Amino acid sequence: MTGAADAGPALILTNGKSAGRRVPLPEGRAIVIGRSLEADVTFPDEPSLSRLHLHVDHVDERCTVTDLGSANGTRINGDPLEGSREVQSGDEIICGDLAFRFDALSQPSSPLRPEQMLPPSSVSQTVPDVRRMLRATAQQDNGGASLESLSEALSAVPLFRRLSGEELAAVARAMTQRRYEAGVNIVTQGEDGHCLYVVLDGRAVVERAGGHGETHVLARLGPGGFFGEMTLLDGQPRSATVRAETRVHCALLPRWALEGLIRADFAMAMQLLAVLSIRLRSVERLLTA
């Protein structure tokens, strides 16, 4: 019998080979659905999904969905989704070719397995393949820092230092938390990027490959360090690789949330520009030394 703790609101996949799969919606936390491994619920072989397609926010028993500028769009009960919209139990949410039903009182028939969050769309992607993928990348850390402690940690990060307590809480709520094992590349030079990363615990090294096979160590990051902001601003591939030197605990802020902060807060935009200027000058000095 399934425990009461397993009950709660969820998105139920209603088509494809994984029809019936349940995506739980934890109270007070946001999830992102997409094709990228930076998403919380990932469908890596579903070409109709964008890398980061849909943001789902469940707060105070209300579920709000936001299309993240996807190529193929999102539809609610057949109507195109523009901006954000609150959904009701039974509503159909179509992301590309994937269809979900929002169930406010869902209860799974059996406990979820990790591979159910990455449903295969071809026979070649077996359960062991998915498990290796999960080990090689970060998992959402459901036992991570609380909203209060995450807000407090963000207040010490230069990029967020000027934000009010209420604004910090809003940033923290938009974040997901992940852990990376030592030796794993958190981000890789040349890849597309969709998130800003803040180091909460552990140490990471920032490395950049040179034109003759050499590797330049640009920086080492500890708690309070952050990276990934340049890709979010200019849309270019990541300019460096960030590797976990120890086990690293990160909080990830998606592009849409950072853009919203910049639009709403001129001081935040100026702070970001100041931080970028300092970083670019540091890299220039290192590479010309």
Side-chain angles (χ1 to χ4, degrees), residues 126-201:
T126 61
V127 169
D129 291 331
V130 174
R131 284 175 178 161
R132 281 196 294 273
M133 187 185 299
L134 289 170
R135 284 197 297 269
T137 59
Q139 307 293 306
Q140 181 172 351
D141 182 11
N142 292 325
S146 66
L147 182 63
E148 288 184 4
S149 58
L150 180 55
S151 298
E152 183 177 354
L154 293 177
S155 68
V157 177
L159 189 58
F160 304 116
R161 198 167 284 160
R162 296 186 180 183
L163 299 186
S164 67
E166 184 176 335
E167 290 169 329
L168 286 170
V171 174
R173 258 195 353 99
M175 286 179 147
T176 57
Q177 296 179 51
R178 299 180 185 270
R179 294 185 188 274
Y180 299 82
E181 298 299 329
V184 168
N185 284 352
I186 302 173
V187 302
T188 302
Q189 183 175 336
E191 288 185 346
D192 292 336
H194 302 277
C195 291
L196 167 76
Y197 293 72
V198 177
V199 178
L200 300 178
D201 191 31

Side-chain angles (χ1 to χ4, degrees), residues 26-106:
E27 170 65 29
R29 297 187 65 174
I31 66 167
V32 173
I33 296 172
R35 198 177 73 251
S36 168
L37 290 175
E38 289 184 333
D40 303 299
V41 181
T42 308
F43 296 84
D45 293 333
E46 179 49 62
S48 69
L49 283 184
S50 292
R51 291 175 61 84
L52 297 179
H53 195 112
L54 186 73
H55 174 266
V56 186
D57 201 6
H58 180 240
V59 180
D60 296 331
E61 301 183 353
R62 300 174 62 182
C63 182
T64 304
V65 296
T66 305
D67 185 271
L68 299 177
S70 65
N72 292 322
T74 300
R75 300 188 300 281
I76 308 294
N77 299 328
D79 297 326
L81 173 63
E82 298 180 1
S84 300
R85 177 173 165 181
E86 184 177 347
V87 292
Q88 307 298 322
S89 190
D91 282 350
E92 182 182 54
I93 304 169
I94 299 178
C95 302
D97 294 334
L98 288 184
F100 299 89
R101 184 186 74 254
F102 173 54
D103 189 345
L105 299 174
S106 173

